[in-house]
Amino acid sequence: TLAHRGVLFMDEFPEFDKRVLEALRQPLEDRVISVSRAKGSITYPANILLIGSMNPCPCGNLGNPLKECVCNPYQVERYARKISGPITDRIDLWVDVDPVEHEKLAADVPTGDSSRVIQQRVRKARAAQEKRFAKTRITTNSEMSPRDISTFCVLAPSVRATLTSAAKTYNLSARAYHRVIKIARTIADLEGSEEIGENHILEAVQYRPKIKT
């Protein structure tokens, strides 16, 4: 609740006690946290942006072309399974970060868009969402319920067919299905597109987790 309307960063995510991770279910879904004791209970606001980091395996070198992984398959699978399916489903974006090459660390010239350019893009996307939800209590795409999605994210037949095909291919749960739409809506906002296209759906699907659960 101290991170309400802010960022809660959990480093080494799988190393937290499983009970702690499972306790994230309610606040990630309902954006509140309830504390119950013998004499009563109280509810606090907890609308957070959760960021968690984890290694690909216990030793951290799985998939690294420069370092050998010393973990056996059982250890890799056991490490991944520390994060349950319900928690996995509630996290929108899963991104693999490759090791940074030493040459890039020493480079004086930055690559990619500058922070200022990205900031402007985000501000425009936020403005689009503010206009979209002007007559509601919603502030961002992530806060949409399934009913809100049917109102604010109308998909063209071809786009819906792409989503349905992807959902079957990756066996998406109902929760993940709706989260893909919300992510696609945000990607479209960042591009300045009024409609959600097939490319936005396909990119959103790529952010689903690639670990076993």
Side-chain angles (χ1 to χ4, degrees):
T1 194
L2 292 175
H4 179 60
R5 292 294 182 186
V7 175
L8 176 63
F9 176 57
M10 300 178 70
D11 195 14
E12 298 290 352
F13 198 60
E15 301 302 337
F16 282 86
D17 189 285
K18 192 158 188 175
R19 291 172 297 179
V20 173
L21 297 180
E22 293 304 310
L24 290 171
R25 289 193 192 187
Q26 181 201 2
L28 289 178
E29 193 72 23
D30 302 330
R31 299 183 178 84
V32 295
I33 181 71
S34 297
V35 180
S36 299
R37 295 293 184 268
K39 295 184 179 180
S41 62
I42 188 170
T43 299
Y44 295 101
N47 189 356
I48 62 169
L49 176 62
L50 173 68
I51 298 178
S53 68
M54 63 182 290
N55 291 313
C57 65
C59 80
N61 294 324
L62 183 66
N64 189 333
L66 302 179
K67 293 184 178 180
E68 182 181 359
C69 175
V70 297
C71 305
N72 59 49
Y74 171 75
Q75 290 174 316
V76 174
E77 183 176 357
R78 183 171 180 271
Y79 181 76
R81 288 187 180 278
K82 287 185 176 182
I83 304 177
S84 68
I87 292 297
T88 300
D89 244 10
R90 286 169 169 80
I91 298 177
D92 290 341
L93 310 177
W94 290 78
V95 181
D96 293 332
V97 181
D98 296 326
V100 180
E101 298 175 1
H102 296 128
E103 291 78 8
K104 291 183 178 180
L105 289 173
D108 294 329
V109 181
T111 59
D113 293 335
S114 67
S115 296
R116 184 181 298 276
V117 171
I118 295 174
Q119 181 187 52
Q120 293 174 347
R121 194 179 303 149
V122 171
R123 283 180 172 174
K124 289 181 179 179
R126 285 285 185 145
Q129 293 173 48
E130 183 177 351
K131 181 180 179 181
R132 178 179 303 126
F133 305 125
K135 297 181 180 180
T136 71
R137 294 183 178 181
I138 303 171
T139 57
T140 62
N141 293 331
S142 64
E143 298 175 11
M144 287 189 290
S145 66
R147 179 174 295 181
D148 296 323
I149 290 175
S150 63
T151 301
F152 297 106
C153 300
V154 179
L155 303 178
S158 60
V159 177
R160 185 166 295 280
T162 298
L163 174 60
T164 300
S165 176
K168 291 180 179 179
T169 299
Y170 295 100
N171 194 25
L172 299 181
S173 66
R175 180 182 288 109
Y177 178 90
H178 289 120
R179 286 181 180 271
V180 165
I181 297 176
K182 290 189 283 188
I183 295 168
R185 178 63 270 176
T186 300
I187 294 171
D189 287 341
L190 289 169
E191 287 188 359
S193 174
E194 293 186 4
E195 304 294 334
I196 298 175
E198 293 181 51
N199 58 316
H200 303 136
I201 292 292
L202 292 174
E203 181 177 346
V205 170
Q206 293 302 308
Y207 293 125
R208 294 311 302 164
K210 300 175 181 61
I211 61 175
K212 295 181 181 180
T213 56

